[in-house]
């Protein structure tokens, strides 16, 4: 269909962003933007998205241990290979 974004490419791009290495400038914001994409698709719950929001200004902070500690996002942790 003309004009329809290639969802596979969009998913791949956001997957790369949500996996941006810790500590890179603006990486927390990049991870949060990608997390919002996955949340809107229904691939992430609100509690998990909230952790990415909190970590968005903390480029060196890994959201995955916080997600695990809060007991949210079990499916997301499994998808990320951390669950």
């Amino acid at each position: 269909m003309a004009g329809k974004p290639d969802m596979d490419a969009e998913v791949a791009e956001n997957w790369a962003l949500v996996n941006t290495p810790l500590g890179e400038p603006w990486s927390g914001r990049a991870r949060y933007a990608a997390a919002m994409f996955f949340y809107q698709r229904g691939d992430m719950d609100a509690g998990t998205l909230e952790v990415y929001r909190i970590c968005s200004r903390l480029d060196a902070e890994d959201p995955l241990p916080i997600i695990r500690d809060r007991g949210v996002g079990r499916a997301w942790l499994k998808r990320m290979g951390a669950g």
Side-chain angles (χ1 to χ4, degrees):
M1 174 188 254
K4 184 178 178 185
D6 180 2
M7 191 52 85
D8 290 336
E10 192 172 10
V11 170
E13 178 181 355
N14 281 285
W15 186 252
L17 288 172
V18 83
N19 285 290
T20 302
L22 299 174
E24 289 186 10
W26 294 86
S27 61
R29 289 169 180 88
R31 285 188 293 276
Y32 176 54
M36 180 60 77
F37 169 82
F38 288 111
Y39 173 76
Q40 290 175 339
R41 285 176 40 96
D43 295 334
M44 177 184 291
D45 63 36
T48 302
L49 179 64
E50 176 63 7
V51 173
Y52 278 94
R53 185 195 65 78
I54 291 167
C55 294
S56 67
R57 296 196 64 183
L58 306 170
D59 295 333
E61 189 69 43
D62 186 352
L64 299 179
I66 299 168
I67 292 167
R68 189 177 303 107
D69 289 348
R70 288 185 172 205
V72 297
R74 287 193 175 104
W76 182 254
L77 289 170
K78 186 173 181 179
R79 185 172 182 180
M80 294 292 288

